[in-house]
Amino acid sequence: MTTTKYEYKVRDSQGRLQEGKVEGSSDAAVADKLREMGYTPLDIRETAGGGMRREVKIGMPQRVKLKDVAIFSRQFATMISAGLSMIRSLSILSEQTENEALRKIIRAVKTDVEQGKDLSEAMSRHQKVFPPLMVNMTKAGEVGGFLDTTMLQIAENYEAEVKLKGKVKSAMTYPVVVFIMAMLMCAGMLLFIVPVFKNMFANLGGTLPLPTQILVWMSAGLRYGFPFIVVGIIAGIGAWRKYGHTLPVRERLDPIKLKLPVFGNLVRKISLARFARNFSTLLSSGVPILQCLDIVADTTGSTVIAKALREVQESVRGGESISGPLTKHAVFPPMIVQMMSVGEDTGAMDKMLEKIAEFYYQEVEATTEALTALIEPLMIAVLGVVVGSMIIALYMPIFKVFDLIG
């Protein structure tokens, strides 16, 4: 069995910090070995000369996706409800979780819990993986003594979110792929085919028809501007990845998204579904309502709804109901306001929000299916018109070839 040298930091039985190096088949094996020696592992990592495998991992870090967190939550809930201790459950998950990045974080959480920290406090140190919604629900579950139920609710919430994202992504994949293929096809014709026809007609003499001349001008412009276009696209993608999700950019773009002719309605339904689902999950877990509004405002994915919820939060803090202030914001349909008002009167707000979430999830699914059915023939028609127009423009001068030869 191949072994690797690891550096470690541990605390001994008297609480003193110690460091050293040891060989092992994996960092998990090293951790078990250190525990057998009576130490509490704090940090285990390969030495600087750990080899090519370590370099590749550093260059290509694995991301922790929402699906991974949902699977972790469900597995953790199952183990806790089966009677396993929290430390034992975390230890098993740190070995069996497929995502390596999440495995390391689970080990760090387990170490913190072993040192006496609450699970929610340990999770809060990794906010990029465990969002505030999950941390606060976990805290409520710890205080109320129903952590297994809470983790199951978290799993169901994130599984619904993963399903929602999958529906939207699958609906948008086809038109995006067709659009990219159409652009590449047009660029290929302008860069390689149009110049051949241009040279052929130039040798024969004569004047080209206006559509053909326009196509030749576009070809020349693309040939000279192609490097700048490529650099601009790369720079645009880089800028979007860096600044696209920042608050100033989102505050400008999110209102525009909601006003788009067809997709604006879909974006709003997705945000409202997230709002209702997350609000319902937090309330049913026992999180205070003002804290719920604060967390939910950051999880809807829309700054418009987030701003409205912040204002509602201030109104509720002043003694008003939730449904009353919602009527002042057009982004919330009357149906949501009325159902939440009934939920407040009956004391079943979480159940009403769950019904609202189910309704909007179904609406999103129906809307995406309708959009897919509508977009497919439209994209084919647009592609046919664009490519067909270019071909016609290229072949129009051919009808004059015999006249030019004569």
Side-chain angles (χ1 to χ4, degrees), residues 264-282:
N265 192 31
L266 177 61
V267 171
R268 187 172 77 149
K269 288 178 180 178
I270 292 172
S271 299
L272 290 174
R274 287 174 178 162
F275 154 74
R277 172 73 68 180
N278 293 338
F279 201 179
S280 171
T281 306
L282 287 167

Side-chain angles (χ1 to χ4, degrees), residues 68-76 93 102 106 123 130 134:
D68 299 318
V69 179
I71 294 172
F72 160 77
S73 302
R74 183 166 290 280
Q75 291 176 340
F76 190 47
L93 288 171
L102 181 58
I106 294 173
M123 285 180 169
F130 305 118
M134 184 174 183

Side-chain angles (χ1 to χ4, degrees), residues 154-187:
I154 293 171
E156 291 174 352
N157 187 9
Y158 286 153
E159 285 167 356
E161 181 70 13
V162 170
K163 184 179 178 181
L164 178 66
K165 286 185 176 180
K167 288 282 184 183
V168 176
K169 187 180 291 185
S170 62
M172 296 297 105
T173 299
Y174 179 80
V176 170
V177 170
V178 172
F179 176 77
I180 292 174
M181 290 182 63
M183 292 298 100
L184 291 175
M185 191 179 300
C186 293

Side-chain angles (χ1 to χ4, degrees), residues 27-101:
D27 50 358
V30 171
D32 292 337
K33 184 177 181 180
L34 291 171
R35 290 191 194 94
E36 291 175 0
M37 296 168 63
Y39 296 126
T40 301
L42 301 178
D43 185 30
I44 300 173
R45 63 183 67 187
E46 291 184 30
T47 57
M52 183 63 68
R53 184 181 176 185
R54 175 174 174 83
E55 292 177 7
V56 172
K57 288 183 179 180
I58 292 176
M60 300 177 62
Q62 191 174 9
R63 293 176 54 196
V64 179
K65 299 180 181 179
L66 191 63
K67 183 179 180 180
D68 299 318
V69 179
I71 294 172
F72 160 77
S73 302
R74 183 166 290 280
Q75 291 176 340
F76 190 47
T78 303
M79 292 179 186
I80 294 293
S81 60
L84 293 178
S85 67
M86 187 185 301
I87 299 293
R88 179 59 178 160
S89 300
L90 290 171
S91 179
I92 294 172
L93 288 171
S94 68
E95 298 295 333
Q96 295 182 354
T97 301
E98 294 183 2
N99 188 299
E100 184 178 351

Side-chain angles (χ1 to χ4, degrees), residues 192-260:
F192 303 109
I193 298 177
V194 173
V196 174
F197 278 78
K198 176 188 174 184
N199 295 332
M200 181 179 68
F201 291 121
N203 294 332
L204 294 174
T207 305
L208 295 175
L210 180 60
T212 311
Q213 289 181 6
I214 294 174
L215 206 59
V216 170
W217 294 335
M218 289 174 62
S219 175
L222 183 61
R223 290 178 66 187
Y224 289 111
F226 186 74
F228 300 101
I229 293 173
V230 172
V231 171
I233 291 173
I234 295 174
I237 294 173
W240 176 255
R241 286 185 174 180
K242 187 174 182 179
Y243 302 107
H245 300 288
T246 58
L247 186 59
V249 174
R250 289 181 57 204
E251 285 180 343
R252 291 178 179 272
L253 291 181
D254 286 357
I256 298 174
K257 290 179 183 178
L258 294 177
K259 295 177 182 178
L260 293 174

Side-chain angles (χ1 to χ4, degrees), residues 7 11 38 47 81 83-84 106-107 121 130 132 134 142 146 156 164 201 235 254 266 297-298 349 355 374 383 392 396:
E7 297 176 353
R11 288 193 184 276
T47 57
S81 60
L84 293 178
I106 294 173
R107 289 185 192 129
E121 184 183 356
F130 305 118
M134 184 174 183
E142 287 176 314
F146 46 85
E156 291 174 352
L164 178 66
F201 291 121
D254 286 357
L266 177 61
D298 296 325
M349 175 74 81
K355 294 296 182 183
L374 177 65
L383 182 60
I392 291 172
M396 282 179 67

